[in-house]
Amino acid sequence: DTGVSQDPRHKITKRGQNVTFRCDPISEHNRLYWYRQTLGQGPEFLTYFQNEAQLEKSRLLSDRFSAERPKGSFSTLEIQRTEQGDSAMYLCASSWSGAPNEQYFGPGTRLTVT
Amino acid sequence: AQKVTQAQTEISVVEKEDVTLDCVYETRDTTYYLFWYKQPPSGELVFLIRRNSFDEQNEISGRYSWNFQKSTSSFNFTITASQVVDSAVYFCALRPASGGSYIPTFGRGTSLIVHP
């Protein structure tokens, strides 16, 4: 297994456009997490799934953000009507529910909203 | 509420110097986990260590060592004989050990630059 992968690695979009990111976790991991990281800050939790169920959402996840994990494997994070403040690195991580502390992170998707 | 403070924004050292990265935390939880992650320029966070609040033993792994002091709410990280490949941003993180949330709170990170 090659670890957690994210696509795309970079995305530049104009304000008001919708964007969608994909995360493929490590295959045997049933938990998947999304984080946002802005310049000079640590990652901030957005949401997480156990299998296909979205179990926790941060207040950072506004109505413009939606995440899905329809088959309990890959996940998508969509941002509608992007704003310049959405510019950040979006990180995905996965873990096994038996070892929740061991989160493995992907390389991230860097979003730039112009 | 949880808080992790990494007061050092950036540290610059010359190769082979020892360097300590500070981490101070605040939590009302009686049991919790502390973590250190490394984020190289490629962007991927790499897990370095996890420490349970019950276990105050210091740990050494090669050139890395960690000093956990519950009395001062600190979990400092020392790199001995630093190398250029150690250049990265290092994050300290904290999460409760009970309550059902598995979400860590990260500090703002310390950027370590090791010059040859």
Side-chain angles (χ1 to χ4, degrees):
Chain A
D1 188 81
T2 57
V4 179
S5 61
Q6 293 187 245
D7 183 68
R9 294 292 307 275
H10 304 273
K11 178 71 177 178
I12 300 174
T13 191
K14 292 184 178 179
R15 190 175 53 188
Q17 298 294 305
N18 298 343
V19 294
T20 299
F21 310 140
R22 176 178 170 127
C23 171
D24 287 88
I26 292 172
S27 57
E28 60 267 27
H29 286 179
N30 59 351
R31 287 195 176 155
L32 188 148
Y33 312 78
W34 284 101
Y35 294 84
R36 182 175 70 185
Q37 185 179 18
T38 53
L39 200 61
Q41 302 291 325
E44 296 173 294
F45 166 74
L46 293 177
T47 188
Y48 97 91
F49 294 83
Q50 178 158 314
N51 300 313
E52 64 275 9
Q54 189 172 18
L55 296 186
E56 193 168 342
K57 292 195 290 187
S58 162
R59 57 180 171 78
L60 292 175
L61 211 66
S62 76
D63 291 344
R64 297 185 297 106
F65 288 69
S66 63
E68 294 183 344
R69 194 182 183 201
K71 297 182 180 179
S73 56
F74 72 91
S75 174
T76 58
L77 177 68
E78 181 183 15
I79 308 174
Q80 296 182 327
R81 305 181 304 281
T82 52
E83 301 172 356
Q84 286 188 320
D86 297 330
S87 295
M89 176 79 87
Y90 290 85
L91 296 167
C92 176
S94 69
S95 71
W96 171 240
S97 56
N101 286 312
E102 297 178 17
Q103 293 187 23
Y104 292 81
F105 283 81
T109 294
R110 181 165 296 284
L111 173 66
T112 303
V113 182
T114 61
Chain B
Q2 300 179 114
K3 185 177 179 182
V4 176
T5 301
Q6 296 180 254
Q8 305 149 308
T9 304
E10 183 177 296
I11 300 176
S12 184
V13 299
V14 177
E15 208 169 18
K16 297 184 183 177
E17 283 186 36
D18 298 348
V19 58
T20 296
L21 283 61
D22 297 334
C23 173
V24 175
Y25 62 91
E26 296 174 30
T27 180
R28 294 176 185 168
D29 295 294
T30 53
T31 58
Y32 48 88
Y33 292 101
L34 293 161
F35 306 80
W36 275 95
Y37 286 87
K38 174 182 180 180
Q39 188 174 41
S42 60
E44 191 169 327
L45 271 85
V46 177
F47 168 82
L48 296 178
I49 190 173
R50 177 186 75 246
R51 173 62 71 220
N52 186 314
S53 57
F54 284 115
D55 181 5
E56 288 196 65
Q57 271 193 329
N58 292 328
E59 182 158 340
I60 298 174
S61 176
R63 296 184 297 107
Y64 295 171
S65 62
W66 291 269
N67 182 1
F68 175 33
Q69 293 199 343
K70 207 168 179 178
S71 59
T72 56
S73 298
S74 66
F75 186 42
N76 297 336
F77 172 30
T78 297
I79 302 174
T80 303
S82 59
Q83 299 176 0
V84 172
V85 293
D86 295 328
S87 298
V89 181
Y90 291 85
F91 292 96
C92 181
L94 162 76
R95 83 152 182 88
S98 59
S101 177
Y102 303 99
I103 310 308
T105 298
F106 286 83
R108 296 180 64 170
T110 296
S111 177
L112 174 64
I113 302 169
V114 182
H115 299 279

